[in-house]
Amino acid sequence: MRILTGLQPSGKLHLGNYFASIKPMVELQNAGQNEMFIFIANYHAMSSANKGAELQNSTFEAACAFLALGIDPAKCVFWVQSDVKEVLELYWILSGITPMGLLERAHAYKDKVAKGIEANHALFSYPVLMAADILLYDAKLIPVGKDQIQHVEIARDLALKFNNNFGEILTLPEAKIAENVAVVPGTDGAKMSKSYKNTIDIFSTDKQLKKQCNLVVTDSTPLEAPKKWQDCNIFNIAKLFLDESGQAELKARYERGGEGYGHFKAYLNELVLDYFGGARSKYEYFITHKSEVRDILDIGAKKASELANAKMAKIRDLAGVF
């Protein structure tokens, strides 16, 4: 079964990005039971990013980060969205059958505008481009968070409408909602998000990482007193890295007292460095070997283009493109 997912190049990756999205995706890839299609959604990023050099840099850095964290081009098709121009052609063809009301009901658009993001056409038509991403490659399963379910439903609606108008050619996608996805708290206890400026970034410098860990909000329990791990932001982040035995050991340290929150912050810093040590080294390698990264992306784009070209030849014919 073909599984497709797009990842926006939206700045530095943090623990929330990894545990909620990237780790489950890499596990799917490594299971070897499905065809994995993974792309960097730089066209989608243009709905909110309008600085050319900044977007180019973030796209390259995202490629380095995803490769460092386990995306394996030998096990999946990995490319940059803009390297396969057919997606824009299908986007336009689908736009011709997309009812305005369907887009006006999109929750993500309304939520982003309510948060002060500029209401431009790219943001409004985002679901149509996402539908083109999915339908161009005959993807069956689309791993998404709950906030993206509606977009997959829109892609399905457009596929049905196209098929009814022109013949059965587009595969109907299904949203794959990951069960038990980790909700990663930020340094302030709220959901970790760049918007809240409460992140712990995977590829920050050692100094920056230590500073971010030290920013985790705690209470004022004295050093010598036992502490409640249940409500501690440090523990709730640290447990993501620990098995049952490791969590039990950390709970015991909290309950017996004698250690301050500074000790636990230092321990969290060690956990992050140990867990991502290999990925951080790989990231530094890829960042300094741009041509190698470009070659990897070009190979992925070639594979994606072969499918896209064949699909678009059929779609053009049915849609009447001369």
Side-chain angles (χ1 to χ4, degrees), residues 53-319:
E54 184 177 299
L55 180 57
Q56 283 189 346
N57 289 336
S58 64
T59 300
F60 170 65
E61 289 172 2
C64 295
F66 297 140
L67 289 169
L69 289 169
I71 289 179
D72 185 348
K75 297 178 180 178
C76 70
V77 180
F78 179 52
W79 77 103
V80 175
Q81 183 185 27
S82 60
D83 283 340
V84 182
K85 305 300 183 186
E86 286 81 4
V87 72
L88 294 182
E89 185 178 5
L90 182 54
Y91 161 71
W92 183 249
I93 290 172
L94 293 175
S95 293
I97 63 168
T98 304
M100 289 291 290
L102 189 64
L103 299 182
E104 288 168 349
R105 292 191 293 273
H107 304 311
Y109 171 75
K110 290 186 284 189
D111 289 346
K112 288 180 178 179
V113 171
K115 291 177 181 177
I117 296 176
E118 182 184 356
N120 56 46
H121 176 263
L123 189 64
F124 183 70
S125 63
Y126 184 107
V128 185
L129 181 56
M130 182 170 169
D133 291 320
I134 295 167
L135 302 177
L136 184 60
Y137 302 104
D138 289 320
K140 185 61 177 176
L141 286 184
I142 315 300
V144 290
K146 292 180 180 179
D147 60 332
Q148 289 282 319
I149 294 174
Q150 187 185 36
H151 287 170
V152 180
E153 292 173 346
I154 289 172
R156 189 179 179 89
D157 289 343
L158 295 181
L160 282 167
K161 190 165 185 179
F162 189 93
N163 288 347
N164 288 336
N165 288 351
F166 301 110
E168 298 292 325
I169 185 173
L170 299 180
T171 300
L172 302 185
E174 298 175 9
K176 177 179 174 58
I177 311 302
E179 300 297 331
N180 302 317
V181 171
V183 176
V184 181
T187 54
D188 58 356
K191 180 180 178 180
M192 189 173 289
S193 169
K194 283 184 282 288
S195 301
Y196 301 150
K197 298 181 180 178
N198 65 353
T199 63
I200 295 176
D201 299 326
I202 298 169
F203 299 113
S204 59
T205 65
D206 289 356
K207 183 177 180 180
Q208 290 169 332
L209 180 62
K210 182 178 180 181
K211 181 178 179 180
Q212 288 175 330
C213 290
N214 284 336
L215 288 174
V216 177
V217 175
T218 57
D219 60 33
S220 55
T221 304
L223 182 149
E224 66 278 1
K227 295 165 184 65
K228 294 183 178 180
W229 54 265
Q230 296 93 333
D231 301 319
C232 180
N233 294 325
I234 303 171
F235 180 87
N236 288 332
I237 299 173
K239 70 180 181 181
L240 295 166
F241 299 92
L242 301 171
D243 58 16
E244 289 186 12
S245 174
Q247 290 186 38
E249 184 178 335
L250 184 57
K251 290 175 185 178
R253 288 175 60 184
Y254 270 79
E255 291 170 351
R256 67 173 169 255
E259 292 185 89
Y261 286 117
H263 295 94
F264 295 122
K265 290 177 180 180
Y267 176 63
L268 174 61
N269 188 34
E270 291 173 11
L271 286 175
V272 177
L273 286 172
D274 287 346
Y275 187 92
F276 291 109
R280 285 163 63 88
S281 295
K282 289 178 183 177
Y283 179 77
E284 290 304 319
Y285 172 84
F286 286 126
I287 281 290
T288 57
H289 291 76
K290 189 169 186 177
S291 61
E292 185 174 332
V293 175
R294 184 67 262 182
D295 288 344
I296 291 170
L297 295 171
D298 286 345
I299 291 170
K302 184 178 179 181
K303 293 177 182 177
S305 292
E306 288 174 358
L307 291 170
N309 286 330
K311 193 70 177 182
M312 281 308 304
K314 297 176 182 178
I315 292 172
R316 289 187 200 106
D317 186 51
L318 291 172

Side-chain angles (χ1 to χ4, degrees), residues 13-74:
L13 294 178
H14 54 71
L15 300 187
N17 298 137
Y18 176 75
F19 285 104
S21 178
I22 299 169
K23 184 173 183 283
M25 180 179 59
V26 170
E27 289 171 349
L28 267 177
Q29 166 200 268
N30 292 341
Q33 299 170 342
N34 300 287
E35 288 184 283
M36 289 294 298
F37 280 57
I38 304 168
F39 66 94
I40 300 175
N42 59 331
Y43 278 147
H44 284 292
M46 292 177 75
S47 64
S48 56
N50 53 20
K51 294 181 180 179
E54 184 177 299
L55 180 57
Q56 283 189 346
N57 289 336
S58 64
T59 300
F60 170 65
E61 289 172 2
C64 295
F66 297 140
L67 289 169
L69 289 169
I71 289 179
D72 185 348

